[in-house]
Amino acid sequence: MAGNQSTPGRTVASKVVQVLAAFAGDSSELSLAELHRRTGLPSSTAHRLAQDLLREGILERSPDGDYRIGLRLWEIAARSVRGPGLREAAMPFLQNLYEATQQHVQLAVLDGDQALIVEKISGPHAVPTVGRAGGRLPLHASGVGKAILAHADAELQERILAGPLERFTPHTVTSPQALRAVLAQIRRDRTAYCHQELTLGAVSCAAPISTPESSTVASVSMVVTADQDVTLLAAAVRTAAIGIGRALQVHRDSGADPATWSAPKRPAGQAHRPRLASSGTVPASGAITAGTMVDGRRDRP
């Protein structure tokens, strides 16, 4: 794609990245004026780059004439090893966690100083949350983020602890000393909790995902309403994290194409959909194993 270099030190590639980055967060569709404002690029430059990306299928037009991410970009991104490869290994376990609660189940990886959600399954009546597939969560104020941060390298931990630790609700942990103690607890128990620290009314339980050959590569969480005892879900979440780590290692060792990966078979006689008891527990007979999502939906950008 052609382009001028009117902005000193800026390449065409960096400008294209700026245009695409404008769609981060909750911005699924943007007008030309919004692209101009979010990127800081001259309106003519933003328009020219958007038109180039339209021709390549990287962007597409909405019915209202706004710009949105196109399928070509999704096709390219689907080849990422850290995202879809992990997602394919994890999906059977995520589906079963969803079946147990009909609430949110999330899979996240570390990206910079944030947790990037690579998959999310949600029920139609799930508690409102701020996260979505392709969205980002703070490491210090989310279950998946804490699980990753607790097992991250010391440099990243110290950088996050040095703050500032943003307060999202009255329950957010913003004290470096308190957060340090929380991270130590997570390392001991392999379980992270987030009690209305990011969204009022929502609590989560998360566990780190590791493989025998690597340290923590991701984390998985369940998000339920604040009136449920989320600690009762810890065993199920940890079991899923262990299963995902083993499945990821097996598939990596075999060199299998992620597109051919299939879910383990459900043991004979196992109930199809383990439900939460009135106390919020996963029934003892409803072990979390691989299964098939029935009426869950993936929360997409």
Side-chain angles (χ1 to χ4, degrees), residues 98-120:
Y98 165 78
E99 288 177 4
T101 62
Q102 305 295 294
Q103 293 282 334
H104 302 290
V105 177
Q106 300 180 141
L107 177 70
V109 298
L110 176 66
D111 189 45
D113 289 355
Q114 297 175 306
L116 174 65
I117 303 176
V118 296
E119 186 56 79
K120 182 172 184 175

Side-chain angles (χ1 to χ4, degrees), residues 18-247:
Q18 267 195 299
V19 171
L20 297 178
F23 293 89
D26 295 327
S27 305
S28 58
E29 296 183 3
L30 297 174
S31 66
L32 179 60
E34 290 170 321
L35 274 178
H36 163 59
R37 185 179 69 256
R38 285 172 175 262
T39 61
L41 296 171
S43 181
S44 59
T45 302
H47 179 263
R48 175 175 48 77
L49 291 176
Q51 292 302 115
D52 286 345
L53 293 170
L54 279 173
R55 284 191 291 272
E56 298 294 334
I58 302 299
L59 294 182
E60 62 184 28
R61 290 278 197 177
S62 72
D64 295 331
D66 291 337
Y67 297 97
R68 62 189 182 191
I69 297 297
L71 288 176
R72 179 73 185 282
L73 185 60
W74 176 87
E75 177 187 9
I76 295 170
R79 298 171 186 171
S80 167
V81 175
R82 272 215 310 156
L86 169 65
R87 177 187 167 279
E88 294 294 338
M91 186 55 73
F93 303 94
L94 301 183
Q95 290 168 346
N96 267 273
L97 286 177
Y98 165 78
E99 288 177 4
T101 62
Q102 305 295 294
Q103 293 282 334
H104 302 290
V105 177
Q106 300 180 141
L107 177 70
V109 298
L110 176 66
D111 189 45
D113 289 355
Q114 297 175 306
L116 174 65
I117 303 176
V118 296
E119 186 56 79
K120 182 172 184 175
I121 303 175
S122 302
H125 304 296
V127 58
T129 61
V130 298
R132 62 180 181 130
R136 296 171 182 272
L137 298 175
L139 295 179
H140 73 286
S142 63
V144 287
K146 289 181 182 179
I148 292 173
L149 181 60
H151 297 86
D153 60 68
E155 180 182 354
L156 175 60
Q157 288 187 19
E158 293 306 317
R159 185 163 68 249
I160 297 299
L161 287 165
L165 299 173
E166 184 177 354
R167 182 182 297 277
F168 297 95
T169 77
H171 305 283
T172 307
V173 177
T174 58
S175 162
Q177 293 76 18
L179 181 57
R180 195 182 296 276
V182 168
L183 298 180
Q185 170 268 311
I186 294 170
R187 286 189 290 273
R188 289 194 302 270
D189 302 340
R190 300 285 294 180
T191 309
Y193 298 104
C194 185
H195 296 279
Q196 304 189 76
E197 295 174 44
L198 187 59
T199 305
L200 290 175
V203 298
S204 67
C205 174
I209 298 170
S210 305
T211 65
E213 295 183 356
S214 65
S215 57
T216 296
V217 296
S219 64
V220 58
S221 75
M222 299 179 75
V223 186
V224 297
T225 56
D227 59 354
Q228 292 181 268
D229 185 354
V230 72
T231 62
L232 298 175
L233 301 174
V237 175
R238 286 195 300 268
T239 299
I242 293 171
I244 294 169
R246 289 175 177 170

Side-chain angles (χ1 to χ4, degrees), residues 243-294:
I244 294 169
R246 289 175 177 170
L248 187 62
Q249 188 64 47
V250 167
H251 289 304
R252 284 179 175 175
D253 289 345
S254 67
D257 181 347
T260 67
W261 296 359
S262 59
K265 299 297 183 182
R266 184 186 300 276
Q270 179 179 312
H272 176 67
R273 185 191 296 274
R275 293 285 189 176
L276 286 182
S278 58
S279 62
T281 62
V282 176
S285 60
I288 300 296
T289 57
T292 302
M293 179 171 61
V294 179

